[in-house]
Amino acid sequence: MDHYTQIPPITSDQDYVRSIVTKIFGELSDSQFDALFPLFDWIQIKAGQQLIFQDEESNEIFFLVYGRLTAIYEKTLGDSVILGDIHPGQAVGESGVIAEQPRTAHVFAARDSILIRLSKDMLYTLGHKYPSLILNLSKTIIRRTQQNTRSRDIRQPKSLVFVANNKSALTAKFMRELLAQLNQYGQIRFFDQKTILQNMGIATDKRSSIKAGNTMNIRMQKILDEVESSSDFVVYFATEDEHFWMNKVIAQADVFYILKEFSEPEELTTTEITLFSDHLKYKLTKKNLILLHPDGNKLPHNTARFLKNRNLELHHHIRMDRTSDIARLGRFITGNAIGIAFAGGGAKGLAHVGIMLSLREKGIPIDFFSGTSIGTFVTAFGALDIPSSSLLDKCRKLAEKAPTKRKNMNLAPLISLIKGKHIDQFIDEAYAGFNVEDAWINSAYVACDLTQKKKVTIRSGPMNEAIRASISLPGIFPPAVRGNSLYVDGGLLENLPIESLLDFPLGKAIAVTLHSTKKYHLGYDVVPGPWEYLKDRLLGKRSLKVPTITTIIMESMVLASYTKYEKATEIANLHLHPPVGKIGMLDWKHFDEMVEIGKEYTDQKLTPEVKEQLLPKVINT
């Protein structure tokens, strides 16, 4: 069954229609165009409806006049791949008709769209009379095929739709400040209901009588298509009471941003019920939640209530007294967000603190944190947006209280060398009471689910539980319990969590590794016995380079991840590897030295050239 409707020919804009057809068939004489035009059927299809089904018989060609289509290839196992978008002036379905082969992909309307339909029989009739048209059509197919093999279509969101329950003072202030931020990155056009009516010459006092007729839709779609083609970003804003306009803008969306004041009820609005339905258009379109706070005086509590029934790409807490939060959102929207991945490495990870301090001083914003094992400690404080002075104090206290001393050892280490109650108390003192989703900045914690035998990226729930799961090195600490699963150190499968970081919409990534590359002479052919080792230490020689049992276990557990470092760091825009080789994985007493090493190293690495590569390119000031 066809999901499109037939409409009368658009005769009022023949010059534009002719330019569309010319892109497909080449230059046409007046007689050729006059012969071709009556053969067209005109159709209209709503956003989200399916135009072409993969593997069906190819019986017609479509020319897109207004709107946008998306081609999707369905694999054998049911997975789908977005092949790319079809824009006004492009044909769809012509390859199957010319080659007399089944359709190679599904095609859906990504926008409310107007198309010209030309049947296969009509095309053959035309070809007999004007063979050059078929030749030009074949050339178009070949050119498009060559372009597709040379480059992959990267779908950068361009049409940004913001929906809100109402236009409150806080929402209006947010939109003004966000538009000012986005304007730095290129040509920005903004449309709310009042603006589009002014563009169409309709008095705003008549907006209540607007009807979604064909003429109105075509006029509006043409305006929006022209604006989108000439702008870097188009920002739409609609509220729940603007029914016609809301329906129009959600059909335009590349990505949705749902605006909520944090004090609002968490229930889905009428529009959200539509957006989070199984309708294909909305399933394929990313959705983000923006939670507005008047100020940042109090950390959010119970953000989970907003996330429960919403399938989101990300949620963003925005403190309206901090321009940095709106700037961060602007970087996410424009593909310029910066993420950082902190690797595991025991006490070597104290260098993460110095790296964080250096990045802040040098003006490198971090928009997303990910961490494994010791890397989660700074990840959590970074996500909570702890000031630098507090960050230093809190991390120093953690180093002083690290539960790896003899008094923390199990007398009968049947499950682990370190007592579970000590590590639990250690983490709870610093992080209990915080939830991952309540932090001001987004973050992720990598752990391994021992029960399910897989890597897990923790994005919600108690922060102390996420950290406890991520640092639970087998043999050193007992496994962590979350739900019905046992969790062990994330470093077993991803000690540098950069792949997990890149699961999120980031433009740049910083990777921080801690592994030792130092090589030294052992000085023995057989590993010394315990008495020989103790004698070497008591006499102060320290000539026997033998790691302790805890170091052997810790290093061995993450050995597999070390082999992946080269590939992982190639993904990063900046790789930081501070010289921490001489520090042992349990040398917590070297806090100040490690912080200084991390800071000095990062200060040297952040040259003007490196900073220029990391920071977003600002076009307008």
Side-chain angles (χ1 to χ4, degrees):
M1 178 181 176
D2 294 337
H3 291 291
Y4 50 78
T5 56
Q6 203 151 0
I7 61 173
I10 299 178
T11 57
S12 60
D13 204 359
Q14 284 208 18
D15 288 341
Y16 176 71
V17 174
R18 184 166 182 168
S19 70
I20 295 291
V21 176
T22 299
K23 291 179 181 179
I24 310 299
F25 287 105
E27 290 297 328
L28 301 171
S29 65
D30 290 342
S31 61
Q32 287 176 324
F33 180 74
D34 291 341
L36 191 59
F37 191 83
L39 303 179
F40 294 151
D41 288 328
W42 290 79
I43 64 169
Q44 179 174 280
I45 184 168
K46 300 295 290 181
Q49 298 297 326
Q50 188 163 0
L51 179 69
I52 288 175
F53 292 82
Q54 186 173 316
D55 297 325
E56 72 177 355
E57 188 177 353
S58 300
N59 289 321
E60 50 204 353
I61 298 175
F62 299 93
F63 308 112
L64 184 59
V65 182
Y66 303 117
R68 187 196 295 176
L69 307 173
T70 298
I72 300 175
Y73 174 68
E74 186 176 351
K75 298 179 180 179
T76 306
L77 298 178
D79 294 333
S80 297
V81 177
I82 297 178
L83 300 179
D85 294 326
I86 297 100
H87 298 274
Q90 294 181 327
V92 60
E94 74 278 19
S95 299
V97 171
I98 297 296
E100 296 187 339
Q101 293 180 343
R103 304 294 196 188
T104 58
H106 299 295
V107 177
F108 298 86
R111 301 277 191 275
D112 290 346
S113 300
I114 305 293
L115 302 99
I116 296 169
R117 182 178 63 183
L118 184 62
S119 71
K120 180 168 64 175
D121 291 340
M122 286 296 184
L123 180 66
Y124 287 167
T125 299
L126 189 67
H128 285 301
K129 189 171 183 180
Y130 302 106
S132 62
L133 298 184
I134 304 301
L135 178 62
N136 289 337
L137 179 59
S138 300
K139 291 178 179 178
T140 299
I141 296 171
I142 293 171
R143 282 195 299 268
R144 194 171 71 182
T145 302
Q146 289 175 338
Q147 290 171 352
N148 289 342
T149 57
R150 284 197 297 265
S151 61
R152 181 172 61 90
D153 180 30
I154 300 175
R155 306 177 78 245
Q156 172 66 40
K158 188 173 186 178
S159 292
L160 319 171
V161 173
F162 291 77
V163 297
N165 193 33
N166 55 69
K167 193 172 183 179
S168 67
L170 195 65
T171 300
K173 179 183 178 184
F174 165 78
M175 291 303 302
R176 288 194 303 271
E177 295 187 11
L178 178 65
L179 289 170
Q181 283 290 335
L182 295 179
N183 192 55
Q184 300 177 82
Y185 299 105
Q187 180 66 36
I188 306 296
R189 291 295 300 274
F190 171 73
F191 285 99
D192 56 9
Q193 181 172 269
K194 179 180 179 180
T195 307
I196 189 66
L197 293 181
Q198 289 175 342
N199 272 264
M200 298 178 72
I202 300 174
T204 54
D205 59 352
K206 296 181 180 180
R207 62 179 180 268
S208 60
S209 62
I210 295 175
K211 303 296 182 183
N214 281 342
T215 302
M216 170 70 75
N217 266 319
I218 292 171
R219 283 185 64 200
M220 189 175 290
Q221 193 64 55
K222 183 180 179 182
I223 291 172
L224 298 181
D225 282 353
E226 290 173 348
V227 168
E228 188 170 324
S229 65
S230 61
S231 306
D232 294 303
F233 297 97
V234 184
V235 176
Y236 300 95
F237 176 80
T239 57
E240 288 291 327
D241 60 337
E242 299 169 335
H243 303 297
F244 169 69
W245 176 237
M246 178 70 82
N247 289 333
K248 188 63 186 174
V249 300
I250 64 176
Q252 291 294 119
D254 289 333
V255 58
F256 291 106
Y257 294 91
I258 300 163
L259 285 173
K260 297 278 187 186
E261 294 187 31
F262 198 71
S263 57
E264 282 187 44
E266 67 269 21
E267 287 78 19
L268 272 67
T269 64
T270 302
T271 298
E272 288 183 277
I273 291 171
T274 301
L275 296 185
F276 291 104
S277 70
D278 286 333
H279 193 290
L280 186 72
K281 158 71 177 176
Y282 310 123
K283 287 176 71 175
L284 292 175
T285 309
K286 302 291 186 183
K287 289 168 280 291
N288 291 261
L289 177 64
I290 298 173
L291 297 168
L292 300 179
H293 304 260
D295 54 55
N297 295 334
K298 185 178 179 182
L299 194 72
H301 175 68
N302 196 19
T303 304
R305 66 192 173 97
F306 287 104
L307 309 182
K308 186 176 180 181
N309 296 313
R310 295 176 173 91
N311 182 20
L312 300 167
E313 180 179 39
L314 281 177
H315 71 280
H316 302 270
H317 289 290
I318 302 295
R319 296 163 286 185
M320 290 305 298
D321 62 342
R322 313 284 178 94
T323 57
S324 59
D325 283 7
I326 296 181
R328 177 179 305 113
L329 181 61
R331 289 190 293 273
F332 270 108
I333 289 173
T334 58
N336 289 296
I338 302 172
I340 191 166
F342 289 118
K348 297 175 188 290
L350 298 175
H352 290 324
V353 182
I355 289 170
M356 190 67 211
L357 294 175
S358 175
L359 291 170
R360 286 178 170 181
E361 288 183 10
K362 297 294 184 180
I364 305 298
I366 301 300
D367 305 309
F368 197 108
F369 295 88
S370 70
T372 296
S373 198
I374 186 66
T376 61
F377 286 57
V378 178
T379 287
F381 287 141
L384 292 168
D385 205 14
I386 299 293
S388 294
S389 57
S390 298
L391 172 68
L392 202 59
D393 291 341
K394 289 179 180 295
C395 289
R396 177 179 282 107
K397 290 178 182 178
L398 286 173
E400 291 171 352
K401 296 181 179 181
T404 55
K405 302 177 178 65
R406 288 190 181 91
K407 66 179 182 179
N408 306 125
M409 300 289 183
N410 274 312
L411 294 177
L414 300 177
I415 298 175
S416 63
L417 291 174
I418 305 296
K419 295 176 183 178
K421 66 178 182 179
H422 289 163
I423 187 66
D424 291 341
Q425 182 181 2
F426 168 70
I427 294 173
D428 289 350
E429 284 183 5
Y431 302 103
F434 302 119
N435 272 26
V436 175
E437 66 273 18
D438 289 333
W440 294 120
I441 303 175
N442 280 289
S443 58
Y445 305 76
V446 177
C448 296
D449 187 330
L450 193 61
T451 307
Q452 299 292 326
K453 312 286 191 297
K454 64 180 182 180
K455 183 189 82 173
V456 176
T457 303
I458 301 172
R459 290 275 294 114
S460 61
M463 193 173 279
N464 56 334
E465 290 184 9
I467 295 171
R468 175 69 172 84
S470 185
I471 70 165
S472 299
L473 267 166
I476 303 294
F477 305 117
V481 179
R482 294 185 83 243
N484 196 43
S485 289
L486 295 175
Y487 286 78
V488 293
D489 198 294
L492 295 174
L493 295 179
E494 193 183 23
N495 199 47
L496 174 62
I498 193 163
E499 289 183 0
S500 297
L501 184 74
L502 296 180
D503 287 338
F504 301 95
L506 300 167
K508 303 287 176 64
I510 301 172
V512 184
T513 55
L514 303 167
H515 61 291
S516 175
T517 57
K518 182 180 178 180
K519 296 181 180 180
Y520 50 83
H521 180 65
L522 290 178
Y524 51 81
D525 297 321
V526 178
V527 175
W531 293 113
E532 188 179 356
Y533 176 78
L534 286 173
K535 180 181 177 181
D536 180 75
R537 287 292 184 271
L538 291 171
L539 293 176
K541 295 181 179 180
R542 297 187 176 272
S543 59
L544 299 177
K545 305 296 183 182
V546 184
T548 63
I549 183 173
T550 51
T551 300
I552 291 172
I553 293 174
M554 293 176 75
E555 291 280 11
S556 299
M557 289 299 174
V558 297
L559 193 60
S561 290
Y562 287 166
T563 62
K564 302 177 184 178
Y565 274 177
E566 184 175 353
K567 180 180 178 181
T569 53
E570 287 177 356
I571 300 172
N573 300 91
L574 174 63
H575 174 210
L576 299 175
H577 184 69
V580 294
K582 66 178 182 179
I583 303 298
M585 296 188 74
L586 299 177
D587 286 344
W588 303 103
K589 61 185 178 182
H590 296 287
F591 176 80
D592 291 312
E593 179 185 354
M594 293 296 291
V595 171
E596 191 62 28
I597 288 173
K599 188 176 184 306
E600 287 186 357
Y601 170 83
T602 308
D603 286 345
Q604 293 173 7
K605 292 287 287 187
L606 291 177
T607 63
E609 293 76 19
V610 169
K611 289 180 64 176
E612 185 178 359
Q613 292 173 7
L614 284 174
L615 294 173
K617 300 294 187 294
V618 175
I619 298 174
N620 302 315
T621 57

